[in-house]
Amino acid sequence: MKIRADKGLTFDDVLLVPRRSSLASRREADTSSWFTPGIRLYVPVVSANMDTVTETDMAIAMARAGGLGVIHRFMSIEQQAGQVRKVKRAEGLIVENPYSIEQDATIAEARKMMQTQDVGGLVVTNGGTELIGLITQRDVLLAPDDSAPVRTVMTLPDKIISARPHTTPEEARRILHEHRLEKLPVIDDNGQFVGLITAQDLIKHQKNPNATKDERGHLRVAAAVGVLPRDMPRAEALVEAGVDALVVDIAHGHADHCIAMIKRLRAAFPDTPLVAGNVASGEGARELAEAGADAIKVGIGPGSICTTRIVTGFGVPQLTAIMDSVAGLRQAGLDTPVIADGGIRTSGDLVKALAAGASTVMIGSLFAGCEEAPGAPVIRDGQKVKVVRGMASLGAAIGRKEREQDESAESQEDWDKVVPEGVEAVVPYRGHVREILYQLVGGLRSGMSYGGARTIRELQENAEFIQITPAGVRESSYHDVRKV
Ligand code: XMP
């Protein structure tokens, strides 16, 4: 038995000491950071893999705003892979399977298809991948004979302006403007039609220049998997669906079965970034990284809906957990990014977590009240609220049992014997997640300016924490006034 001489600290125990700053404006602060060594986020915030926080809508909104969503695993393999696919298809510079029509179809059919699919144009094919022509609203608008075939009004291949597969958004924009076009077919080196660039998609791209996208312009998304060998088909389906990172999700990540799962996944999917956790010690972080994890999720019990520390007596106050994990990795010569998971309530907490060495933070409850979180808002005591639940709560365990009954009798959890380590709660309805992220990033920029930091790395290098007393905590919030 041993007792550590130092104290375990969390966000409210400390403040950051202001440093001389050369930043004339908060805009000079670059908030970008790394989720994994290959995935850069302009907004270093990730939405939690909880069933009341991240499904398709949240993942799309997070990626559009410059963060990232991790889709939870408490649904069937098909549903989770389908959700990943939906995020990947939500945006892209090149529409890979645009709506097409055969050259002998009638103008009336083309018009109907454009209407029902809500698109301004169709690719005309001979039934295969060969591009025969292009037809847009303008071609059919005043066509005299609705029963005439599409080929009589379409733009012919020799008149079609096209692009190559690696065309950048800037090039596409120039070509479309120069020729006053709305659609640009993409043709590969073998003359095969591979997709369509549309003006609408370019406009979306311009609207969210800092969105988290892959090299093909699709939004990025991560998804969680469990640690058992039976979770491998899930991982395979997610990789097949185009997931950008797999997150090995287990409450106590510093465990043999988690390490074994990391090794299994690493061997099966060498090119897919792997995140693993949760841990709360330098040793835990180092061993998961050495097993093959590209980023480490840190946090045992800091979450708003967590009761792990009460039920088990285990946990490390979150600021110390972040510092210990980062130190454990760096001492072993590893540059692995740390994701600070849980307990973030304010932008001040975000700044402290990053200054302590985390590369990104994961947020649950603060996002559970958003429009994009699963579930509809309800009115409780006259206030609009949404539900959030710990993934180890009784409600979540019952939900899993109900789902597993549909799937396989063997994998059923005996929920009569469940010992919950989380609670169910309600949080105020908070509108769109983009607005919350705006406030968080605004606070982060301001914090970076107080820290004299232009980058997250400088924030970490310059960080000087000071421990405060309960009087300091009281002084730190508004006091001696009545809030209006
Ligand atoms: P916040 O504070 O952002 O924390 O809501 C989200 C994180 O909490 C963890 N989590 C749990 N921890 N029991 C726990 O001890 C639970 O039932 C539970 N559910 C979620 C998880 O790491 C999440 O990202």
Side-chain angles (χ1 to χ4, degrees):
M1 195 267 285
K2 63 174 177 184
I3 297 186
R4 267 172 68 157
D6 59 337
K7 281 199 195 113
L9 300 175
T10 194
F11 302 122
D12 279 350
D13 292 319
V14 298
L15 286 169
L16 283 152
V17 179
R19 304 293 300 256
R20 177 171 177 157
S21 178
S22 65
L23 278 77
S25 151
R26 299 184 335 169
R27 277 198 298 276
E28 290 171 26
D30 171 4
T31 63
S32 67
S33 189
W34 299 94
F35 177 64
T36 63
I39 300 181
R40 185 177 188 212
L41 306 182
Y42 281 95
V43 172
V45 178
V46 177
S47 64
N49 43 294
M50 292 165 65
D51 65 0
T52 47
V53 179
T54 311
E55 291 189 353
T56 313
D57 290 350
M58 179 62 80
I60 290 174
M62 286 296 298
R64 278 195 179 138
L68 189 76
V70 184
I71 294 181
H72 71 89
R73 65 188 168 93
F74 301 104
M75 59 181 110
S76 72
I77 293 177
E78 295 69 33
Q79 283 169 334
Q80 197 187 13
Q83 294 209 2
V84 165
R85 223 170 270 122
K86 233 167 147 184
V87 181
K88 297 306 292 179
R89 284 205 183 151
E91 270 178 42
L93 179 60
I94 300 179
V95 185
E96 270 141 35
N97 290 307
Y99 296 107
S100 63
I101 193 159
E102 290 195 26
Q103 55 176 334
D104 292 325
T106 64
I107 290 177
E109 284 169 323
R111 188 180 286 133
K112 186 147 181 246
M113 192 167 183
M114 285 191 242
Q115 249 166 27
T116 49
Q117 305 298 351
D118 195 24
V119 291
L122 301 169
V123 169
V124 185
T125 65
N126 57 355
T129 58
E130 203 182 329
L131 180 71
I132 301 285
L134 209 57
I135 182 164
T136 66
Q137 297 274 16
R138 245 178 307 166
D139 298 318
V140 299
L141 194 62
L142 298 173
D145 181 7
D146 257 13
S147 61
V150 159
R151 71 184 128 78
T152 59
V153 291
M154 69 186 187
T155 306
L156 294 166
D158 58 331
K159 294 266 166 38
I160 292 177
I161 312 279
S162 63
R164 314 298 279 164
H166 297 296
T167 304
T168 62
E170 292 68 35
E171 280 169 332
R173 185 194 157 92
R174 186 185 49 73
I175 301 171
L176 283 166
H177 175 69
E178 221 167 271
H179 300 277
R180 304 293 192 271
L181 297 168
E182 283 178 19
K183 310 230 176 305
L184 196 58
V186 182
I187 311 284
D188 71 10
D189 291 342
N190 304 320
Q192 293 298 304
F193 168 69
V194 291
L196 201 63
I197 296 175
T198 73
Q200 283 308 321
D201 284 335
L202 281 176
I203 290 167
K204 268 193 222 156
H205 176 82
Q206 276 177 329
K207 235 170 97 183
N208 303 308
N210 292 338
T212 307
K213 291 186 174 178
D214 62 22
E215 47 296 322
R216 286 152 74 202
H218 297 294
L219 296 175
R220 285 197 190 272
V221 59
V225 294
V227 293
L228 300 176
R230 73 159 194 243
D231 291 303
M232 287 304 282
R234 181 178 291 273
E236 200 176 322
L238 294 168
V239 171
E240 174 77 30
V243 79
D244 291 280
L246 289 171
V247 178
V248 181
D249 167 35
I250 180 163
H252 179 30
H254 192 193
D256 292 353
H257 51 188
C258 183
I259 290 173
M261 185 61 170
I262 296 169
K263 290 182 177 164
R264 260 195 304 274
L265 289 168
R266 189 73 300 158
F269 312 108
D271 302 327
T272 304
L274 268 187
V275 177
N278 281 19
V279 298
S281 67
E283 198 185 358
R286 175 176 56 74
E287 288 190 16
L288 299 198
E290 282 170 351
D294 299 302
I296 308 297
K297 207 146 75 74
V298 171
I300 301 287
S304 53
I305 33 59
C306 303
T307 55
T308 294
R309 293 179 186 172
I310 310 292
V311 174
T312 69
F314 279 81
V316 176
Q318 185 66 344
L319 198 78
T320 296
I322 298 167
M323 289 176 175
D324 285 356
S325 300
V326 173
L329 290 164
R330 304 300 174 256
Q331 276 157 18
L334 297 162
D335 213 16
T336 318
V338 157
I339 302 158
D341 176 17
I344 302 288
R345 303 150 302 170
T346 60
S347 51
D349 292 346
L350 165 66
V351 178
K352 289 174 192 174
L354 296 172
S359 294
T360 58
V361 303
M362 178 173 264
I363 292 182
S365 298
L366 189 59
F367 291 159
C370 292
E371 182 65 34
E372 294 85 353
V378 293
I379 304 293
R380 177 78 63 90
D381 299 329
Q383 207 203 356
K384 204 171 173 185
V385 295
K386 284 189 89 164
V387 172
V388 59
R389 64 183 188 187
M391 294 320 304
S393 66
L394 185 62
I398 293 171
R400 276 198 289 280
K401 178 194 152 63
E402 282 166 1
R403 186 178 64 76
E404 283 167 356
Q405 248 172 1
D406 293 340
E407 286 178 1
S408 94
E410 287 142 290
S411 61
Q412 274 182 36
E413 198 166 345
D414 186 354
W415 59 278
D416 287 338
K417 294 191 196 124
V418 163
V419 180
E421 289 182 24
V423 296
E424 289 173 78
V426 290
V427 285
Y429 174 78
R430 295 187 213 267
H432 290 286
V433 70
R434 173 180 281 276
E435 285 148 30
I436 298 186
L437 284 171
Y438 184 85
Q439 293 299 322
L440 287 175
V441 172
L444 172 57
R445 285 183 191 281
S446 194
M448 289 173 73
S449 148
Y450 275 104
R454 288 176 184 274
T455 62
I456 302 290
R457 182 151 291 225
E458 278 180 23
L459 177 72
Q460 294 164 345
E461 284 164 0
N462 294 354
E464 187 190 349
F465 285 100
I466 184 164
Q467 213 178 319
I468 58 175
T469 61
V473 176
R474 269 197 307 280
E475 186 188 63
S476 295
S477 187
Y478 62 85
H479 53 85
D480 300 312
V481 292
R482 196 137 51 97
K483 205 178 167 197
V484 287

